[in-house]
Amino acid sequence: MDKLIITAALTGAEVTRAQQPALPITPEEIADAAYACAQAGAAMVHVHARMPDGTPTQDKDMYRQIIAEVKKRCNVIVQVSTGGAVGMTPQERLAPVTLQPEMATLSMGTVNFGDDVFMNPPAEMALFAATMRNHGVKPELEIFDSGMLSTAQRWLQKGLLTGPQHFDFVLGIPGGMAGTPEALLYLRSQLPAGSTWTVAGIGPAQLPLGTLAILLGGHVRVGFEDNVYYRKGELAASNAQLVARIARISRELDRDLATPDEARVLLGLH
Ligand code: KMH
Ligand code: ZN
């Protein structure tokens, strides 16, 4: 089995300081959290930018600062969000891709998102894919429901996506596919040959699905974007605490952790 790539989704667009007092917001806080997660075993960070008051933003300069601050501290792969927050325009969402980060997320379809709708019409997503290709940015394909994986398969056949792809199964969003082992096993069974995959279990699904992914040879995403709790009723102290736990479980299960450079090789970033 390949070594495990742990991604820390540090901030997201929805979680507030009221919900999680340790949420990193400024570029310095995000970079400090990235460093702590790297020390705990993360090879990648998935980042969203916020304004100083906590409002989500896709401002290019804010992402530039985040990337620079992370790079000052450590060598983790920085993956920027192009999901941003519900309601942002495609142009806003794409802004950080022009900074040529190593990776960026690419949502593969529209999904109900709690009481909102996270809009990802095919023509806009094709533009996102083309922009990433033109800037040499590897996408991580965000799969919120099984039809999105079928879309990825069609796009591979049509040449809108080329080469081995990296998938993120985001499971447990209200409106998306359930955060269950059955859902994960089904999606894994439908993956195009040669793909790599990770799982982002939402809320209480984070720990069980992460553990299952370790056993199945997938990779794992943890962090406050998806889950603010350490266990039921107890907030996590930091993103790094969530990384440290999944790292510990992986080592106990005899699966070593990928360093950032090893993850770059596994993901074909070189
Ligand atoms: N904030 C969500 C609406 C991504 O980063 O690409 C979308 C999201 C996905 O977080
Ligand atoms: Zn995100």
Side-chain angles (χ1 to χ4, degrees):
M1 231 179 241
D2 288 331
K3 290 186 179 178
L4 180 76
I5 301 170
I6 300 177
T7 300
L10 302 171
T11 303
E14 291 81 23
V15 177
T16 64
R17 274 269 167 82
Q19 294 166 320
Q20 174 42 271
L23 184 75
I25 286 178
T26 66
E28 289 75 16
E29 289 167 355
I30 290 171
D32 286 345
Y35 176 74
C37 288
Q39 294 295 107
M44 189 184 334
V45 290
H46 167 73
V47 296
H48 284 248
R50 301 284 187 103
M51 302 298 284
D53 70 355
T55 310
T57 176
Q58 289 294 98
D59 180 74
K60 190 172 163 177
D61 282 333
M62 202 62 97
Y63 274 96
R64 196 196 316 273
Q65 284 179 51
I66 292 170
I67 294 167
E69 290 296 326
V70 173
K71 292 288 167 204
K72 268 189 217 166
R73 289 163 176 77
C74 56
N75 179 35
V76 283
I77 299 165
V78 179
Q79 178 196 81
V80 301
S81 171
T82 69
V86 165
M88 288 177 172
T89 66
Q91 288 70 28
E92 267 180 288
R93 287 169 53 183
L94 263 175
V97 172
T98 59
L99 295 168
Q100 299 187 293
E102 284 186 274
M103 292 188 79
T105 50
L106 172 53
S107 292
M108 289 307 295
T110 296
V111 63
N112 286 347
F113 202 85
D115 294 331
D116 297 314
V117 182
F118 180 37
M119 290 294 293
N120 294 293
E124 287 172 13
M125 293 307 101
L127 171 70
F128 278 40
T131 307
M132 289 181 203
R133 196 165 49 247
N134 293 339
H135 286 87
V137 177
K138 169 132 183 171
E140 177 183 89
L141 307 182
E142 307 299 298
I143 304 297
F144 296 85
D145 215 333
S146 64
M148 300 185 192
L149 188 47
S150 315
T151 300
Q153 286 156 348
R154 282 199 310 280
W155 283 23
L156 280 162
Q157 279 158 12
K158 288 201 269 185
L160 290 171
L161 293 169
T162 52
Q165 297 297 316
H166 182 60
F167 290 84
D168 178 21
F169 301 134
V170 186
L171 299 181
I173 295 274
M177 209 160 166
T180 59
E182 289 80 4
L184 179 60
L185 289 169
Y186 173 71
L187 292 171
R188 176 175 168 266
S189 75
Q190 300 300 306
L191 276 172
S195 307
T196 50
W197 62 277
T198 190
V199 67
I202 303 301
Q206 186 166 90
L207 180 59
L209 291 188
T211 305
L212 182 56
I214 294 170
L215 294 167
L216 293 173
H219 303 283
V220 182
R221 175 170 122 171
V222 294
F224 288 166
E225 174 164 346
D226 305 327
N227 166 45
V228 296
Y229 291 99
Y230 190 74
R231 58 171 69 86
K232 191 170 162 58
E234 180 185 329
L235 287 172
S238 62
N239 280 292
Q241 187 190 28
L242 297 170
V243 171
R245 174 168 61 181
I246 211 75
R248 212 160 50 235
I249 292 169
S250 192
R251 290 194 184 101
E252 286 291 334
L253 293 170
D254 237 351
R255 189 156 171 213
D256 289 337
L257 306 183
T259 64
D261 281 340
E262 288 168 340
R264 287 181 173 94
V265 173
L266 290 171
L267 298 171
L269 299 182
H270 284 301

